[in-house]
């Protein structure tokens, strides 16, 4: 938490530009974005008429988001223990947040995504893969997890790992690999993410 607080406090809006690949939702869809940061994705959701809620562990991020997206519901919370009843949301967006957690906490977060979704609800997931050029940079903390100089940990996923995290018992959906190159001062660096649109298997659950 302290690392994210410091990053937003010192650097301001970390996430800017346009959103890419985020699903479109119909008017009034109840969407939760976990790790909403300074509100980049939330602003897109609100413009499309979603009933958007964003949570972040960093108060400094939420202060920025309140300016960027004044119409969104914002809550300071931990993704491992979401402060919402079962089946509260139609959709959850988890982009580059699950990979900031250790292995046991990644499973806790996945269970929370499932819990707060309505039966048949949608989860959009995106994280970097082990083929991304940044994998291996920093101090190792767990297998394929590295701590950078800014104090933020990133885990780099494999497809089987994502399949294990979102098992067929609770989810259905396909995992896709997206690869591109980033050019810096004439040098090309490979970037790669795994993206998935999962649906919660229809089961009875209550608050």
């Amino acid at each position: 938490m302290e690392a994210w607080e410091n990053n937003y406090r010192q650097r301001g809006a970390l996430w800017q530009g346009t959103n890419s690949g985020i699903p479109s939702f119909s008017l009034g869809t109840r969407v939760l974005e976990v790790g909403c940061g300074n509100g980049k994705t939330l602003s897109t959701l609100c413009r499309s008429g979603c009933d958007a809620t964003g949570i972040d562990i960093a108060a400094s991020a939420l202060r920025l988001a309140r300016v960027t997206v004044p119409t969104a519901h914002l809550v300071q919370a931990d993704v491992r223990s979401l402060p919402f009843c079962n089946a509260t949301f139609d959709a959850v967006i988890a982009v580059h947040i699950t990979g900031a957690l250790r292995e046991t906490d990644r499973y806790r977060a996945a269970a929370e995504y499932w819990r707060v979704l309505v039966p048949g609800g949608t989860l959009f997931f995106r994280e970097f893969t082990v083929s991304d050029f940044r994998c291996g940079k920093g101090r190792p903390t767990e297998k394929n997890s590295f701590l950078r100089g800014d104090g933020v940990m990133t885990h780099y996923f494999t497809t089987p790992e994502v399949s294990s995290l979102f098992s067929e018992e609770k989810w259905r959906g396909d995992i896709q690999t997206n690869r591109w190159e980033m050019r810096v001062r004439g040098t090309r660096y490979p970037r790669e993410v795994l993206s998935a649109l999962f649906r919660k298997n229809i089961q009875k659950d209550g608050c």
Side-chain angles (χ1 to χ4, degrees), residues 20-23 25 31-37 41-42 45 53-55 79-80 82 91-101 106 109-114 116-117 122-128 157 162 165-166 171 193-198:
S20 175
I22 301 297
F25 300 103
V31 184
L32 171 66
E33 184 188 8
V34 293
C36 66
T41 299
L42 280 178
L45 295 171
T53 298
I55 69 114
V79 70
R80 299 167 295 182
L82 296 173
V92 170
I93 293 179
V95 173
H96 299 308
I97 180 64
T98 316
L101 304 171
R106 292 195 292 273
E112 284 292 271
Y113 304 158
W114 188 89
V116 300
L117 276 172
T122 299
L123 166 68
F124 180 70
F125 169 91
R126 179 186 289 159
E127 290 290 345
F128 290 113
F157 288 80
V162 176
L165 194 60
F166 301 102
W171 305 92
V193 296
L194 292 173
S195 299
L197 194 64
F198 293 110

Side-chain angles (χ1 to χ4, degrees), residues 17 21 62-63 70 85 111 124 141 174 185:
L62 294 175
R63 283 193 291 271
C85 287
F124 180 70
T141 55
D174 297 318
R185 297 178 182 177

